[in-house]
Each structure stands twice: as C-alpha cells, then as structure tokens.
Amino acid sequence: MTRTNDIILRTTTTLIAFILLGFSIYLFFAGHNAPGGGFIGGLMTSAAIILMYMAYGIQAMEKILPINFRQIIPVGLIIAAATGIGGMIFNAPFLTQTFAYFQLPILGKTELATALLFDLGVYLAVVGVTMTIILTIANDRG
C-alpha cells in the first residue's frame, strides 16, 4: 500500500482541530445564556474529531482516542433525562431550569445552571451519534 505525503494536511489539521475544539467549548458554555449549547458544541467537537480521523487514519486515531462512541450516547441521554426529571423532584415541571452563583477557586463568582447539565447530556449524545454514524459509514466495506 502506497502512503501519500500528507504533511500539509496533518500540520494544518492540528491547528484547525485545536481551533474547532476551543470554539466548541465556547459554544457549549455560552449556550444557556446565548445561542449555542450542547447541540452545536457537540457538532463542532465531532467535526474536529472527524478531521483528525481523515488526516491521521482510523488505526492511528483509535490508538490516540480509544473511545467507543456508542457508549457515550446512553450516558448523554441519561444525563439529559435526569436533568429534566430533577425539577420534578422539587415539585416543578419537567425540564425546569434553576441557577445559583458559586465562588470557585480560579474562576471567582460564577453562575452555574442546571441548563449546563442538560447541555452536557445533549453534547455527549450528539458527539456519540455523529461519530457513530460517520465511523460506521467509513468502515462499511460492502
């Protein structure tokens, strides 16, 4: 098998993936107060991972990132559902959101909201589903 010289692709992938992952984290944390959140953050993370798969190959990425993306899907769904049910424990409607301010060591006074937990569940589910679909299509030889 002939291997192509893809030094430019690999070099730019490192930079682009870093930018995509940073932007996905920003979108994830901005989501409960501004446009963004778990869905678009998960898609951006999946795009960065897919780019790395394209540049480095499936075998190398499975060594670098040994994650079974199918197992991430139920974890995300459980977190999102538990967040929704959490409001019902306090006699509030399903998916009721609340927030509080906490003094964190490095960040100082920070608002933490239950919407962030819901977004985390959506984020994990979207990354899991997207990566499972793309990798299944990529590995389909028939």
Side-chain angles (χ1 to χ4, degrees), residues 10 22 30 45 71 78 82 122:
R10 289 183 182 197
T45 299
Q71 293 176 346
I78 289 170
V122 171

Side-chain angles (χ1 to χ4, degrees), residues 33-112:
N33 288 329
F39 185 79
I40 192 64
L43 286 178
M44 293 288 291
T45 299
S46 296
I49 295 171
I50 291 167
L51 180 63
M52 290 187 290
Y53 267 93
M54 290 171 56
Y56 297 107
I58 291 176
Q59 290 81 16
M61 282 302 296
E62 286 177 350
K63 289 179 186 174
I64 295 169
L65 199 64
I67 296 174
N68 184 352
F69 291 102
R70 289 182 185 198
Q71 293 176 346
I72 294 176
I73 300 168
V75 171
L77 292 175
I78 289 170
I79 291 172
T83 304
I85 294 170
M88 296 172 70
I89 293 172
F90 297 103
N91 205 19
F94 182 71
L95 284 177
T96 299
Q97 187 242 341
T98 187
F99 65 93
Y101 290 93
F102 296 93
Q103 188 69 29
L104 299 177
I106 296 174
L107 301 174
K109 188 175 180 181
T110 305
E111 176 192 18
L112 295 178

